[in-house]
Amino acid sequence: MRTLRRRFLPLLAVVMLLCAAMTVPALAAGEDPTELAGTKYIECPDCGTSGVVLSGEGEAVPCETCADSGYVGYVESPSPFYNTFWSLIPPIIAIALALITKEVYSSLFLGILVGGLLYSSFAFEATILHVFNDGIVASVTDSYNMGILIFLIILGSMVCLMNKAGGSAAFGRWAKDHIKSRVGAQLASVLLGVLIFIDDYFNCLTVGSVMRPITDKHNISRAKLAYIIDATAAPICIIAPISSWAAAVAGFAEDGQGFNLFLRAIPYNYYALLTIVMMVGMILMKAEFGPMAKYEKNAIEKGDLFSGSNPYAGAEDDAPEDKGRVLDLVLPVVVLIICCVIGMIYSGGFFDGEGFITAFSNSDASVGLMLGSAFALVFTLVYYLIRRSMSFKEMMGCIPEGFKAMVPAIMILTFAWSLKNMTDSLGAKFFVRDFVRTSASGLQMILPLIVFAIGCLLAFATGTSWGTFGILIPIVQNVFSMDNPMAIVCISACMAGAVCGDHCSPISDTTIMASAGAQCDHVNHVSTQLPYAITCAVVSGVTYLIAGILVSMGAPGLLGLPIGIVLMIGALFVIRSKNPGAN
């Protein structure tokens, strides 16, 4: 416990100091009260920013609720802590407790409870109502979130079916004959993660399901598999033009130029690109450090893949070793990928005449993944029935078994979404927004580094990359003309910082999915991955500083990427020299 405190409390102190540094005034922008610096305004709970429309005159007037606020459709927040440093306290508490106690459920709930207390000014009844009605209930009844939960359940059921049919065991036997080393198994996991670039949720769970039998046979710890899954999820999706993340960025950018901005920003997305360099480099160099070195040593020397608790113990029910064929695993996974791609372009209007790229840009990942996985499940059931891999009763038994296997991930996701609702209700995004606007003047040379750092902090505290995009990208577009080379570097810094913070945060849904995909204890995954992510973040931050200086001097900003790759490889050699024989 003391070791954990020495390790994570300095990090917590730095985060709090950075948050405190944000308490500076900003320039007011626009007539919308939520655009005012230090705003205290929220949407009117009764008319939802619309006011009351008079049929005769056709103009909006305040409803009874917002009549005294001075703005049609808006009222002042009931919380005195709205849009202050205190709005970041709930996620800071949840993250700190999770890292110190290694118990994620109670830590997240305490963070949610603190958010409710701050919102209601410590009133008992209002706190309870806000925590459950506006937090937990609102998160599970949200249509987007519910689609993701259904996707999780279906995927869990498919994994159970593939195990029961013997597909996973057959694939493991094939891999044992063709993948001869630990390095090969890890590189195969990386390759599969790169190939599944459509969506990070889909990536995490599919790569985990397919590669677990292979990495287990080569004594690769579940923590290392979780890191590989996490490092090939968001970092790959954020540089893949055809992905749900590209669609998100395109949606957040103004003036309909989001997809073009996304493509131009790829070479400057240093954190994503350097994460891939670091991950592959560490595998080839057999270099490990921090807590991961201990987990890998236990896996190699003792065959202990977990080095601690396994919350998914008993979830897998593998078939006998001689049952099943490789096709029993590969075909359902291929059909799942195809169906999910079709589902996503369907949700984007492809079958209503939109082009493929436009449909992907407009897609709804929740709807696409939910529908695609549902059709893939039906195919899998019919396929196994025709193959006579198991009886119909056994197949139906796999549905609730798959549900049970996903319960840990569902619980953590629900609490993480609820915590985000708490930070939203306290105006955390406005607090960060005001700081970015203030920092933009007079600091252009180091602005990419500042934007990257703020993106890291915001995504780490809230656990959401997409929310960070939504806050920072429009601000950068307002600060710069998109013809300015510095604008593209800063847009990339927004995305890279969001991915970095998401990668580090224990309340990030992608981090949670990676733990679920590897069937690894969530806090173990976070504690082993954090030193790796911080190392890459430091190198990325230095690279953004160099890129900002290059662009401000009129030099090509593209020179930043090769410089960053050289810095990362150099850092890996230093790590390897200080940790000989770690792997």
Side-chain angles (χ1 to χ4, degrees):
M1 181 65 73
R2 290 182 180 177
T3 303
L4 280 172
R5 286 174 180 167
R6 284 198 299 269
R7 198 172 288 162
F8 294 116
L9 287 181
L11 173 63
L12 176 62
V14 171
V15 171
M16 295 184 70
L17 285 173
L18 285 173
C19 292
M22 293 181 182
T23 54
V24 292
L27 299 174
E31 297 180 0
D32 183 342
T34 62
E35 290 296 314
L36 299 174
T39 182
K40 296 292 182 182
Y41 283 93
I42 60 175
E43 290 186 6
C44 176
D46 289 339
C47 65
T49 75
S50 62
V52 178
V53 179
L54 300 180
S55 56
E57 301 176 9
E59 61 182 29
V61 297
C63 68
E64 291 184 5
T65 304
C66 59
D68 298 328
S69 72
Y71 292 94
V72 176
Y74 295 91
V75 296
E76 288 195 14
S77 170
S79 172
F81 304 103
Y82 188 84
N83 193 5
T84 65
F85 163 72
W86 293 97
S87 62
L88 295 176
I89 290 296
I92 289 174
I93 288 176
I95 291 167
L97 286 175
L99 293 175
I100 293 170
T101 66
K102 303 192 75 174
E103 207 297 301
V104 69
Y105 302 114
S106 61
S107 301
L108 285 171
F109 184 75
L110 284 173
I112 295 167
L113 184 61
V114 170
L117 287 167
L118 293 175
Y119 182 83
S120 65
S121 299
F122 302 94
F124 177 77
E125 181 182 1
T127 297
I128 298 301
L129 291 176
H130 187 59
V131 165
F132 286 95
N133 288 344
D134 302 328
I136 296 173
V137 173
S139 68
V140 296
T141 55
D142 179 83
S143 60
Y144 185 93
N145 293 350
M146 183 54 66
I148 295 301
L149 293 181
I150 292 173
F151 170 65
L152 268 176
I153 293 167
I154 293 175
L155 205 54
S157 300
M158 286 190 64
V159 170
C160 187
L161 284 166
M162 289 186 288
N163 289 335
K164 204 85 166 179
S168 299
F171 190 78
R173 294 193 297 271
W174 176 89
K176 188 175 181 180
D177 294 333
H178 292 81
I179 300 176
K180 303 294 186 180
S181 66
R182 298 182 83 252
V183 171
Q186 292 175 75
L187 289 178
S189 302
V190 172
L191 178 60
L192 184 59
V194 170
L195 292 176
I196 304 178
F197 53 79
I198 299 298
D199 183 77
D200 54 328
Y201 293 171
F202 183 40
N203 179 303
C204 289
L205 297 173
T206 304
V207 174
S209 302
V210 172
M211 296 307 300
R212 273 198 312 269
I214 300 171
T215 55
D216 286 356
K217 287 183 182 296
H218 288 280
N219 287 341
I220 296 167
S221 68
R222 290 292 180 87
K224 184 62 182 291
L225 176 60
Y227 167 69
I228 293 173
I229 292 171
D230 214 346
T232 55
I236 293 296
C237 292
I238 198 62
I239 57 174
I242 301 176
S243 70
S244 57
W245 287 57
V249 173
F252 290 133
E254 297 176 351
D255 302 327
Q257 54 183 337
F259 193 74
N260 180 46
L261 284 177
F262 183 90
L263 291 176
R264 293 168 62 193
I266 290 174
Y268 301 97
N269 201 319
Y270 299 136
Y271 182 81
L273 295 168
L274 294 180
T275 292
I276 299 168
V277 173
M278 179 178 180
M279 176 176 51
V280 175
M282 292 184 69
I283 292 172
L284 294 176
M285 296 167 64
K286 300 182 180 180
E288 307 290 352
F289 66 100
M292 186 72 81
K294 183 193 77 172
Y295 280 71
E296 283 290 87
K297 183 177 180 181
N298 287 342
I300 295 170
E301 296 180 357
K302 304 176 184 177
D304 182 2
L305 304 179
F306 300 95
S307 295
S309 63
N310 174 18
Y312 297 89
E316 294 189 64
D317 184 15
D318 289 333
E321 284 293 315
D322 57 346
K323 182 181 179 183
R325 298 185 301 180
V326 173
L327 195 63
D328 293 337
L329 175 74
V330 173
L331 188 59
V333 170
V334 170
V335 171
L336 178 65
I337 294 172
I338 294 172
C339 288
C340 286
V341 171
I342 294 173
M344 291 188 70
I345 62 174
Y346 165 79
S347 68
F350 178 76
F351 297 102
D352 293 328
E354 297 287 353
F356 185 86
I357 300 298
T358 303
F360 234 108
S361 299
N362 297 331
S363 66
D364 185 324
S366 174
V367 172
L369 294 176
M370 176 181 65
L371 295 178
S373 60
F375 278 97
L377 176 62
V378 172
F379 169 86
T380 303
L381 291 170
V382 173
Y383 171 71
Y384 288 151
L385 200 61
I386 294 172
R387 280 263 297 124
R388 297 183 179 178
S389 300
M390 65 188 92
S391 67
F392 183 75
K393 184 178 180 180
E394 286 178 316
M395 287 193 293
M396 290 300 99
C398 289
I399 306 297
E401 285 298 317
F403 193 156
K404 285 191 287 186
M406 288 298 170
V407 166
I410 290 171
M411 286 184 63
I412 297 174
L413 264 182
T414 300
F415 281 163
W417 286 331
S418 302
L419 184 60
K420 179 184 179 299
N421 288 346
M422 295 296 106
T423 58
D424 287 347
S425 68
L426 290 169
K429 64 180 181 180
F430 298 118
F431 179 69
V432 175
R433 179 201 64 187
D434 290 348
F435 173 70
V436 176
R437 284 177 173 167
T438 303
S439 301
S441 57
L443 296 173
Q444 290 199 14
M445 184 179 293
I446 63 172
L447 190 57
L449 174 59
I450 292 175
V451 172
F452 175 72
I454 293 173
C456 291
L457 177 65
L458 184 58
F460 181 81
T462 61
T464 168
S465 296
W466 290 16
T468 304
F469 299 156
I471 296 168
L472 294 182
I473 289 178
I475 294 172
V476 172
Q477 286 191 282
N478 290 331
V479 171
F480 294 106
S481 165
M482 289 300 103
D483 296 330
N484 188 332
M486 188 68 79
I488 300 302
V489 180
C490 288
I491 290 285
S492 297
C494 292
M495 294 188 283
V499 171
C500 177
D502 180 89
H503 207 188
C504 296
S505 178
I507 60 174
S508 158
D509 45 8
T510 308
T511 309
I512 295 164
M513 293 286 192
S515 302
Q519 294 199 348
C520 166
D521 181 83
H522 181 59
V523 177
N524 289 348
H525 167 46
V526 173
S527 62
T528 53
Q529 175 171 269
L530 199 56
Y532 290 13
I534 291 174
T535 300
C536 189
V538 171
V539 176
S540 300
V542 173
T543 309
Y544 275 115
L545 178 60
I546 293 171
I549 294 172
L550 288 172
V551 171
S552 65
M553 295 173 61
L558 287 172
L559 292 175
L561 180 58
I563 293 173
I565 292 173
V566 170
L567 290 174
M568 176 55 72
I569 294 174
L572 290 179
F573 274 107
V574 172
I575 290 169
R576 184 71 182 88
S577 66
K578 291 182 177 295
N579 298 272
N583 192 356

